[in-house]
Amino acid sequence: MAPTAKIAVVGAGLMGHGIAQVFALAGHTVTITDSVKASLDNAKTRILANLKDLGDDQSAVERVTPVPDLAEAVRGADYVVEAVLEDLPLKQKLFAEIEQHVRPDTILASNTSVIPITSIMQALQRRERALGTHWWNPPYLVPLVEVIETQWTSPQAVDFTMKLHAAAGKKPAHVKKDVPGFIGNRLQHALWREAISLVENGICDAETVDTVIKAAFGRRLAVLGPLENADMVGTDLTLAIHKTVLPAIDSRPGPSPYLEKLVAAGKLGFKSGEGFRTWTPEQQGALRLKVLRHLKAARAQDD
Ligand SMILES: NC(=O)c1ccc[n+]([C@@H]2O[C@H](COP(=O)([O-])OP(=O)(O)OC[C@H]3O[C@@H](n4cnc5c(N)ncnc54)[C@H](O)[C@@H]3O)[C@@H](O)[C@H]2O)c1
């Protein structure tokens, strides 16, 4: 991999501008494009504000060039990452078009949250250069990027992408099969399913579920993964716990009826002021700020 690459980011929204920022800060030349003029016009302002806020090198923004035309934005790129709306036909159409304007060896990545990479990339002429890169929000604060290969992805494309992200200060994780939820969201939502089930079954209220996680194993999670933890306490003890606890844990294959009822009643969380709990605008703002401060402090510790 060249020490500096030509990167094109398609989609300048929440994720796209942040991804462009990370690559620019790593010294790469970045073009960014968006079909909505206002999004594209705001991209560099947003990046500069983030760089300032984080105390990062503000001159990095000069390596980002907004380009309204898709073909022009991706031409000559070594690597293209797509972060447009979560819409399969849109992503398929975009990659078909992108493929017309890039070199045969340009790597193509989608930042989809949940759409199978296989579905997005199946109609490409060169499927071996296509993969998924699942970033987490905000891209400049959460280290993980899941690198998802399909049955067609070449080892070279995976290797290039893993190295590109590691060199940009991210923690790439290789997902060897294109499974729904990749790794992170499978784990996250296994926990959410049980969290909802505890409330649904009257074992505790929503606030208590969150308190138990935040005040107990949540404290350790950033430094002690579950399988490290299982080894630490012993696989024999883990087996004994699983024999008792797993039969009691929610294993329904679909979403919880409790969650479905909340949604049907318009209890949508922050956006309606009530979900599992009620939220004033002040409480919402305070929680968002708390998360941001926590992520910034964690990043400062990493540095
Ligand atoms: N928001 C998250 O937490 C998060 C996390 C991981 C992955 N993702 C995924 O990243 C992708 C982008 O999400 P987001 O939160 O940044 O959304 P967003 O709505 O903030 O941004 C999407 C951008 O795509 C642009 N766009 C739409 N059609 C386009 C087109 N034809 N060509 C170019 N640009 C176009 C929109 O104008 C918008 O600026 C989605 O696939 C999403 O699922 C989001």
Side-chain angles (χ1 to χ4, degrees):
M1 192 187 78
T4 61
K6 285 180 76 176
I7 310 251
V9 180
V10 182
L14 184 68
M15 298 304 288
H17 89 277
I19 293 170
Q21 175 184 329
V22 170
F23 284 132
L25 194 59
H28 301 296
T29 307
V30 181
T31 54
I32 185 163
T33 188
D34 199 292
S35 57
V36 174
K37 188 176 176 305
S39 286
L40 194 58
D41 288 348
N42 288 335
K44 287 188 75 162
T45 312
R46 292 173 89 178
I47 291 172
L48 187 59
N50 295 339
L51 291 169
K52 263 189 203 161
D53 184 43
L54 294 167
D56 287 337
D57 177 9
Q58 292 175 36
S59 72
V61 75
E62 288 155 24
R63 286 190 282 278
V64 180
T65 309
V67 179
D69 181 62
L70 175 69
E72 198 187 319
V74 302
R75 195 167 291 128
D78 300 305
Y79 182 88
V80 179
V81 53
E82 165 275 315
V84 303
L85 305 177
E86 190 75 340
D87 178 292
L88 177 60
L90 172 65
K91 289 182 190 285
Q92 288 171 326
K93 186 175 142 283
L94 270 176
F95 278 108
E97 198 179 333
I98 290 166
E99 210 178 25
Q100 304 306 312
H101 304 289
V102 293
R103 296 191 315 261
D105 64 338
T106 301
I107 310 285
L108 306 181
S110 172
N111 182 51
T112 177
S113 302
V114 291
I115 301 173
I117 307 302
T118 305
S119 313
I120 297 172
M121 305 299 188
Q122 62 188 355
L124 289 188
Q125 285 159 18
R126 291 178 180 267
R127 298 186 290 203
E128 69 278 6
R129 44 93 150 257
L131 37 67
T133 52
H134 181 226
W135 294 64
W136 293 64
N137 183 43
Y140 42 86
L141 285 177
V142 183
L144 185 76
V145 178
E146 290 170 280
V147 176
I148 306 113
E149 72 172 270
T150 71
Q151 59 192 293
W152 309 295
T153 314
S154 71
Q156 292 78 7
V158 173
D159 186 57
F160 177 95
T161 307
M162 295 288 289
K163 286 183 177 148
L164 178 74
H165 289 80
K170 306 311 291 179
K171 274 230 175 309
H174 183 188
V175 186
K176 296 178 186 169
K177 289 184 184 173
D178 182 22
V179 291
F182 313 132
I183 300 171
N185 271 325
R186 285 170 89 94
L187 291 167
Q188 182 167 233
H189 288 279
L191 179 62
W192 290 23
R193 174 170 63 184
E194 184 56 27
I196 295 169
S197 174
L198 287 164
V199 176
E200 187 175 359
N201 286 298
I203 293 154
C204 60
D205 61 18
E207 189 174 351
T208 304
V209 169
D210 290 337
T211 298
V212 167
I213 294 167
K214 290 186 286 184
F217 63 88
R219 281 270 164 131
R220 300 190 301 232
L221 270 178
V223 293
L224 181 68
L227 301 184
E228 288 172 328
N229 200 342
D231 276 349
M232 191 181 275
V233 299
T235 53
D236 49 344
L237 177 59
T238 304
L239 177 63
I241 293 169
H242 280 200
K243 281 183 178 163
T244 307
V245 174
L246 291 194
I249 285 181
D250 192 346
S251 60
R252 287 173 295 185
S256 154
Y258 185 94
L259 177 62
E260 282 175 338
K261 264 190 221 153
L262 283 184
V263 175
K267 295 182 180 177
L268 304 179
F270 279 18
K271 59 188 135 181
S272 69
E274 184 177 358
F276 289 98
R277 296 161 62 179
T278 54
W279 298 95
T280 63
E282 293 71 31
Q283 287 170 326
Q284 294 179 25
L287 188 53
R288 287 191 202 282
L289 195 63
K290 196 171 174 182
V291 174
L292 202 60
R293 284 202 181 123
H294 172 75
L295 292 175
K296 280 190 203 169
R299 193 188 91 137
Q301 264 191 341
D302 285 346
D303 288 345

